[in-house]
């Protein structure tokens, strides 16, 4: 079954610390030791559907959360870049969110910001 464990205060963690917390949750889940309290009080979920060879989809919100971001597989795609068609690695990002908590403009800004950081991850590394 699907488990959605929570990394609390992930926004304040460095990338190495976030990676370590994530791997700890993955190990616990694979061992069947995830506790119910480890899956409470989440705000947004990130799901990697690309690992299954899926380009995109419409993720369903876990109960009580404000949003879920699905990251599709990375594929080489013909893309217009600086006025020329080039083959570039592209992935689809899909955000489903609860409009009672997040309006469309904020949801769109979140996806645009994630795309910007994926396009130039050096910005994340500079904050450590």
């Amino acid at each position: 079954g699907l488990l959605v464990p929570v990394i609390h205060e992930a926004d304040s963690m460095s990338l190495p610390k976030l990676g370590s917390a994530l791997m700890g949750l993955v190990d616990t889940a694979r061992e069947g030791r995830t506790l119910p309290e480890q899956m409470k009080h989440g705000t947004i979920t990130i799901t990697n559907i690309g690992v299954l060879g899926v380009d995109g989809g419409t993720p369903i919100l876990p109960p009580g959360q404000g949003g879920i971001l699905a990251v599709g597989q990375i594929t080489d795609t013909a893309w217009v870049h600086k006025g020329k068609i080039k083959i570039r690695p592209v992935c689809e990002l899909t955000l489903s969110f609860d409009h009672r908590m997040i309006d469309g403009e904020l949801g769109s800004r979140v996806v645009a910001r994630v795309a910007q950081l994926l396009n130039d991850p050096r910005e994340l590394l500079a904050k450590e």
Side-chain angles (χ1 to χ4, degrees):
L2 175 65
L3 297 176
V4 185
V6 177
I7 299 174
H8 295 282
E9 299 180 27
D11 61 323
S12 65
M13 292 182 182
S14 67
L15 282 179
K17 187 172 180 181
L18 184 59
S20 177
L22 177 61
M23 290 313 300
L25 289 174
V26 167
D27 291 342
T28 300
R30 285 187 177 145
E31 295 166 3
R33 297 185 299 113
T34 303
L35 302 173
E37 49 272 7
Q38 291 176 296
M39 296 185 284
K40 290 182 180 178
H41 308 298
T43 54
I44 187 165
T45 291
I46 301 171
T47 183
N48 180 3
I49 59 176
V51 73
L52 302 171
V54 177
D55 292 327
T58 306
I60 304 298
L61 284 170
Q65 294 199 15
I68 181 169
L69 177 69
V71 181
Q73 73 174 331
I74 299 171
T75 57
D76 287 336
T77 305
W79 200 262
V80 177
H81 180 69
K82 296 182 181 179
K84 296 182 180 181
I85 296 176
K86 296 183 178 183
I87 301 299
R88 298 196 56 158
V90 175
C91 84
E92 184 174 316
L93 303 174
T94 307
L95 179 66
S96 295
F97 52 90
D98 186 338
H99 270 281
R100 295 170 294 183
M101 301 168 81
I102 300 168
D103 67 24
E105 180 183 359
L106 178 58
S108 297
R109 288 182 187 275
V110 167
V111 173
R113 181 69 174 133
V114 170
Q116 179 183 14
L117 291 170
L118 288 173
N119 192 48
D120 187 7
R122 291 175 295 182
E123 187 174 337
L124 286 171
L125 297 174
K127 291 184 178 186
E128 294 189 19

